[in-house]
Amino acid sequence: GAMDKFVRIYSGGELVKGPNGVEFGDLSEQGIWFKAAPTYSELIDAVYKKLGLEPATHNVRAQGRTNVGGGAHRHFIMVPIDDDMSWSNYVKAVFNGTDWNCLEVYVQTEELPSAEPVSPEPALLDSEPLDAQHQNTPPRDPELGASLFAPSMVTANAPTVHPQHSWLRRIRSARARAGIRGQVAGEEVQSGQYQCGASGTVDTTSCLLIGLYDEVHRARALAAGQHLTELNPRNREPLRFDKRYERYLRPAGLMGLANICRAGLPSIDRALVSALVDRWRPETHTFHMPCGEITITLQDVAMILGLPISGHAVIVNKTESYIELYQRYLGKAPPSDKSRPGLRVAWVRAEFNKCPEDADEETVKQHARAYILSLVGGLLFPDASGDRYTVYPFPLIADLENIGSYSWGSATLAYLYRAMCDACRRQSDQSNLTGCLLLLQFWSWERFPIGRPDMLKPKFPNVDELEDDRDRPTVGLRWVVGACTYRSAPARCYEHFTNEFDLLTDDQVVWSPYRDDRVKTLHLAPICTQDSHLWLTQAPLVFFFMVEVYTPERVMRQFGLHQECPPPFRDTSVELHWYVQRYVCCLCMVVFDSRKLEIMYQ
C-alpha cells in the first residue's frame, strides 16, 4: 500500500511520556515520501538529506513508534532501528495487526568530532563508565573457551535507548527469545528499578540454563525460525450453580471462584497463553521478559481467585478405591472404564448438572460434591484429555466439613507451574496446555497491555446487600463483569503477541496491581488478604505427586519491595519435575502457617 512509502520523521528534542505511552510532544515533524517502500539505508539517507546533515559530520540514530495495546487501548513504545532486519520488523509490527498504520520515526543526531572516525561505536564504548564496559564484556565458557552473549544492562523507564544497548537491539531484531541467549538464564531478568522509581544498570546473570529444558524449549525453536502453533488449552466450565451449595462453598474458600463462574467465564485466549508459556523458564519458575523477571505468586492466586493459602497440603493417602468413594459420596458410580484415569465429564453432567428442587439434604450434598469437583477438576486442575475430571482431590472434596482446611491456592499454583514447565518444551501441533488457565489469563490482563480487553465500568454486587462477607468479589471478578473483548483476527494472532512480548518495556508492566488505591473500591472478600503473611513464604508448593519450588525472592518488586540483583538462586530441581506419585509417597503432609513450615514424613 501507499502507507509504507510515507514516513513521518520527528527530531529536535526529547520524547515525553503520556497516558498512552511514548509521545512526541513538541518535536519538529516532517514527512518523507518514497517511490517504493524504503530499505533501512534509503531511510537513513533520506533523513540526512531532510535534516540537511552529512554522514561525515553527524551520526543519526533512529527509533520507530508502534502501538502494542489491545483493542481500543493504545499503548505506544519505541523500537530501536539500526539495520535492515530491525527496520523490516518495525514495518511489519505497524502494518500487521494494529489499527495505527503510520510509520513514525524519531531521530537523534550527534555531531562527530573532526578528529574521530565516522563510525560511532568506538566513541560510544569509550564514553561509557569503566564498570559498564566491563559488564558488557561477554563471559567466557570455561570449557569451550567461547564467548557467550553479554548479560543485559537494562535501564528502566527510559523512552530512548542508551547507546550501550546496541547489542541488545541486534538480538531483538533477530527475534531471539528471553532466557535462551547463550547459556545463561536471568540475563534480561531485572531492571534494577525499586519501589521508589529509581533505576540503575545491573548485571543479573544468575544461573546456567539446564540443557534438558533448553534443548527442546519452544523459545529456542522460535528463535531458530521454526514455525510453532498455539497450544491447546484445557479447561472445563463447571456444573450449574445452585444456591443450596453456598453453605459448603463458603467454608471451603471457593465462593470467589464460584462467583466468577456464575458471572460468565471468558474464553481462554490461546494465542496469549501460548505466548506467555514461550517465555516461561523451569529453572526459575518465572517468565523472562525483556524488562525483567515476573511470575504468578501466591498473592495473585489469593487476590484473583480468592483461594485459601493457609492449610494442609492437597495430598491424601486414600484407603478406598475411587469406585467405592463415588458410591459412598455421590450415591452412584460411573460405568466401568479402565481405558484412562479420571471421571468422565459427560457422565457427571448427565447425573449432577441440576439438583432437584425437592432434593433432601443428602442429595444436595451429593450434588454439591459434584459441583465442587467440576470447579476443582475442571478449572483448577484440568485433565489433559479434555473430557475427564482429575479425581485425585475427590477424597478431600468428599469430606464437605473439612474442605476449607486445605491449601487450595498453593496446590493450584503448583499445578500451573508444572503445566507450564511441561508445555514450554512441547513443539508439536497438537500440544496441550493444562493448569489453571483462568488464573494465567487474568494475571496477564492485570499486568500487561498485550491482549488485554477493554475495561468498561464493572457492575459489582452491592456489598451492603450481601448476607455474608465471604461472598464479596475477588479481583478476578472484574474481568468478567466489566471487560469488553475485541476480536480482530490479524491483531490477536499468536505471532503478533510473541512480537509484542519481545518489545515489552518496563513502563508497560503493572508491577504492583493490588495497591490500596487500585482495589479499595472493590470491597474484596476477606479471603483475598487473610493469608498475606504467607505470600513470601519459601515453602514448596504441593499438589499430590507434584512438588514445585516457589521463588518469590526473584520477584520482590511485585510486592513493592527492594529486589536484590542478582536474585538468590534456588534450584527448581530436574528431579522434582520428573517426580510421579510413587516417588513422593513418603511426603505425608505440608502445613502452611504463620510460624513455620512443617514437613512430616512417615
Side-chain angles (χ1 to χ4, degrees):
M3 292 307 295
D4 61 355
K5 303 174 186 176
F6 177 76
V7 184
R8 287 180 181 173
I9 302 297
Y10 295 86
S11 62
E14 297 294 331
L15 298 170
V16 297
K17 285 189 176 182
N20 295 320
V22 178
E23 295 180 356
F24 294 115
D26 297 328
L27 293 177
S28 173
E29 176 185 351
Q30 302 180 70
I32 303 178
W33 278 101
F34 296 86
K35 294 182 179 179
T39 64
Y40 169 72
S41 59
E42 291 171 342
L43 170 71
I44 296 302
D45 290 344
V47 169
Y48 273 113
K49 183 177 181 180
K50 196 73 174 180
L51 299 182
L53 304 175
E54 294 292 336
T57 60
H58 288 80
N59 179 51
V60 170
R61 297 192 190 91
Q63 299 177 66
R65 189 173 79 147
T66 184
N67 171 31
V68 294
H73 176 74
R74 291 176 175 173
H75 188 94
F76 295 98
I77 65 170
M78 301 307 297
V79 181
I81 300 171
D82 58 2
D83 56 21
D84 284 325
M85 178 70 77
S86 56
W87 170 246
S88 176
N89 286 342
Y90 167 64
V91 173
K92 290 178 182 178
V94 171
F95 291 113
N96 293 340
T98 72
D99 58 352
W100 190 255
N101 298 326
C102 183
L103 299 172
E104 298 179 317
V105 176
Y106 167 63
V107 296
Q108 293 172 292
T109 63
E110 66 175 356
E111 187 174 356
L112 295 173
S114 57
E116 295 295 328
V118 175
S119 174
E121 285 297 328
L124 292 177
L125 289 174
D126 291 343
S127 67
E128 293 179 6
L130 290 178
D131 59 340
Q133 295 183 44
H134 173 73
Q135 290 174 346
N136 273 299
T137 302
R140 304 287 294 180
D141 186 316
E143 296 182 3
L144 303 178
S147 295
L148 306 178
F149 287 115
S152 94
M153 319 300 298
V154 179
T155 300
N157 287 336
T160 59
V161 178
H162 192 277
Q164 75 186 51
H165 301 317
S166 59
W167 71 273
L168 181 57
R169 300 181 200 144
R170 292 191 291 273
I171 291 177
R172 282 186 181 171
S173 67
R175 296 186 65 227
R177 295 300 189 266
I180 63 169
R181 292 164 189 158
Q183 300 295 317
V184 180
E187 294 169 353
E188 255 191 0
V189 293
Q190 296 293 347
S191 66
Q193 185 183 40
Y194 309 139
Q195 184 182 10
C196 62
S199 63
T201 299
V202 294
D203 176 0
T204 60
T205 301
S206 58
C207 61
L208 295 178
L209 293 183
I210 296 176
L212 174 69
Y213 303 147
D214 194 50
E215 187 175 340
V216 294
H217 200 289
R218 289 175 61 89
R220 181 167 290 282
L222 289 169
Q226 182 177 337
H227 174 73
L228 297 181
T229 58
E230 302 165 354
L231 296 164
N232 298 312
R234 297 295 191 186
N235 68 319
R236 284 283 184 181
E237 289 193 12
L239 302 178
R240 184 181 302 178
F241 177 82
D242 192 299
K243 285 191 65 67
R244 287 171 289 182
Y245 304 157
E246 290 181 355
R247 58 178 295 189
Y248 306 111
L249 292 169
R250 289 193 187 104
L254 297 175
M255 273 305 297
L257 181 60
N259 286 334
I260 291 174
C261 296
R262 293 171 63 189
L265 289 175
S267 59
I268 298 300
D269 191 332
R270 61 174 59 201
L272 176 62
V273 297
S274 298
L276 284 168
V277 170
D278 291 345
R279 288 189 165 271
W280 179 259
R281 293 303 314 190
E283 296 91 345
T284 57
H285 284 164
T286 57
F287 299 98
H288 286 201
M289 298 294 178
C291 53
E293 275 185 70
I294 191 168
T295 196
I296 305 173
T297 67
L298 291 174
Q299 179 189 36
D300 296 303
V301 179
M303 298 294 285
I304 293 174
L305 299 183
L307 296 177
I309 307 301
S310 179
H312 299 295
V314 178
I315 188 170
V316 68
N317 292 323
K318 69 181 182 67
T319 57
E320 299 176 80
S321 69
Y322 282 110
I323 295 298
E324 293 173 327
L325 290 171
Y326 299 150
Q327 193 67 53
R328 174 183 296 185
Y329 294 106
L330 294 180
K332 61 189 72 174
S336 178
D337 182 5
K338 299 181 180 180
S339 60
R340 285 179 300 176
L343 194 59
R344 283 189 175 276
V345 172
W347 180 81
V348 176
R349 287 193 176 280
E351 298 292 338
F352 300 99
N353 195 41
K354 184 177 180 180
C355 185
E357 295 291 338
D358 57 350
D360 57 24
E361 183 178 354
E362 183 59 32
T363 301
V364 172
K365 284 185 176 181
Q366 292 168 355
H367 281 74
R369 293 185 183 104
Y371 177 79
I372 294 174
L373 175 64
S374 71
L375 281 179
V376 171
L379 293 175
L380 302 185
F381 317 110
D383 187 84
S385 66
D387 64 350
R388 294 171 185 261
Y389 289 129
T390 302
V391 296
Y392 291 118
F394 187 76
L396 309 181
I397 294 171
D399 185 4
L400 290 174
E401 304 301 324
N402 292 309
I403 295 179
S405 65
Y406 294 94
S407 178
W408 295 106
S410 65
T412 299
L413 195 56
Y415 196 86
L416 179 57
Y417 277 7
R418 176 64 63 90
M420 292 191 293
C421 287
D422 291 340
C424 73
R425 293 176 284 137
R426 295 173 180 160
Q427 300 181 17
S428 72
D429 292 345
Q430 303 301 319
S431 297
N432 293 330
L433 174 60
T434 60
C436 186
L437 303 183
L438 185 68
L439 171 63
L440 177 60
Q441 184 159 291
F442 285 167
W443 174 85
S444 179
W445 288 350
E446 284 288 336
R447 297 181 181 274
F448 309 125
I450 300 169
R452 177 192 290 157
D454 297 315
M455 178 62 69
L456 305 178
K457 185 176 181 181
K459 298 178 181 179
F460 286 110
N462 188 342
V463 295
D464 295 331
E465 298 178 357
L466 296 176
E467 299 177 0
D468 196 306
D469 284 346
R470 290 174 291 184
D471 297 342
R472 288 186 177 185
T474 63
V475 171
L477 184 64
R478 76 190 194 102
W479 291 110
V480 295
V481 299
C484 178
T485 303
Y486 286 81
R487 287 288 174 180
S488 174
R492 304 188 63 82
C493 66
Y494 174 42
E495 182 179 359
H496 183 65
F497 286 154
T498 57
N499 288 335
E500 289 184 357
F501 278 117
D502 282 347
L503 303 173
L504 189 70
T505 59
D506 178 88
D507 60 300
Q508 290 180 267
V509 181
V510 181
W511 293 97
S512 301
Y514 312 122
R515 302 189 308 271
D516 289 343
D517 60 319
R518 297 194 76 215
V519 301
K520 64 181 180 181
T521 60
L522 302 183
H523 303 288
L524 299 177
I527 197 171
C528 291
T529 55
Q530 71 181 20
D531 296 328
S532 60
H533 58 287
L534 298 176
W535 291 346
L536 290 173
T537 182
Q538 293 189 359
L541 308 174
V542 180
F543 173 75
F544 289 92
F545 55 88
M546 298 178 183
V547 181
E548 296 294 326
V549 175
Y550 179 58
T551 58
E553 69 274 10
R554 300 191 70 88
V555 292
M556 298 296 282
R557 186 179 179 185
Q558 293 181 221
F559 299 95
L561 302 174
H562 170 80
Q563 176 62 58
E564 182 181 353
C565 295
F569 175 65
R570 279 193 294 142
D571 189 3
T572 58
S573 178
V574 174
E575 289 76 15
L576 279 181
H577 285 103
W578 279 353
Y579 273 2
V580 293
Q581 190 170 11
R582 62 179 180 274
Y583 295 146
V584 293
C585 60
C586 62
L587 183 60
C588 178
M589 185 183 302
V590 179
V591 180
F592 291 87
D593 63 22
S594 59
R595 301 181 302 278
K596 61 182 178 179
L597 167 72
E598 300 177 8
I599 303 181
M600 294 178 285
Y601 296 91
Q602 63 177 16

